[in-house]
Amino acid sequence: QMSFPNGCHVCEVEIEPDTGIVTVVGYTAVDDVGNMLHETIVEGQIHGGIAQGLGQVLGEHVVYSETGELLTASFMDYQMPRAGDLPNFSVHHHVVPCQTNPLGVKGAGESGVAGSLPSGVSAVLDALSTRGVTHLDLPMTPQRIWAAVEQARAAR
């Protein structure tokens, strides 16, 4: 039997157009993970998933040299979000017990990633839309954002 967790995530960003640097200034999530056996653990799973998803949106990228050498082989070279890069998350719960298992629980670990990817992308594209940018590939790095803003500026 399957269970179907669901939720809604909203990401708020500010973008410095002259540098392309994105700052996540707000993040709210409401998830239905069924009955929560331990709220702190569930929220920790959601927080970790949000950080993982936003990292994928904003910078995580494996880079190889032309000869096939991995250039992002350590955490010194691989961009990933750290606690200081993220705001306090506002996490809420909409509990709808699962009907297919005796505990009434649903998955929680995936909900943060599943919500942060589309909400992060949407937040960045919404912020850039006033400058004529309508598409941007992942990861949405400062370099890519700056180039997209400059290209849209030149096209106007």
Side-chain angles (χ1 to χ4, degrees):
Q1 296 288 335
M2 298 183 67
S3 67
F4 298 94
N6 63 82
C8 179
H9 288 228
V10 178
C11 180
E12 300 173 75
V13 300
E14 291 180 356
I15 299 175
E16 175 52 54
D18 293 332
T19 63
I21 294 174
V22 176
T23 303
V24 180
V25 295
Y27 197 97
T28 300
V30 179
D31 285 303
D32 162 28
V33 299
N35 291 332
M36 290 185 290
L37 301 182
H38 196 293
E39 187 173 351
T40 302
I41 290 175
V42 169
E43 288 189 3
Q45 288 181 310
I46 294 170
H47 284 194
I50 293 169
Q52 182 181 358
L54 290 177
Q56 186 174 343
V57 170
L58 298 175
E60 289 191 32
H61 187 68
V62 176
V63 179
Y64 291 92
S65 72
E66 292 177 10
T67 61
E69 178 185 359
L70 180 60
L71 299 176
T72 52
S74 75
F75 291 148
M76 296 294 292
D77 309 314
Y78 187 83
Q79 180 185 344
M80 65 179 165
R82 283 139 175 97
D85 300 327
L86 301 170
N88 287 329
F89 301 137
S90 178
V91 175
H92 306 276
H93 309 286
H94 177 73
V95 177
V96 178
C98 181
Q99 301 300 308
T100 60
N101 67 68
L103 296 176
V105 299
K106 302 175 185 177
E110 302 83 0
S111 67
V113 176
S116 61
L117 285 166
S119 66
V121 167
S122 294
V124 171
L125 289 178
D126 183 61
L128 294 174
S129 68
T130 60
R131 298 190 176 266
V133 177
T134 59
H135 174 81
L136 196 58
D137 289 333
L138 294 181
M140 295 178 167
T141 61
Q143 297 86 354
R144 286 184 177 172
I145 291 172
W146 179 85
V149 169
E150 290 301 308
Q151 184 178 11
R153 182 181 297 157
R156 278 188 270 169

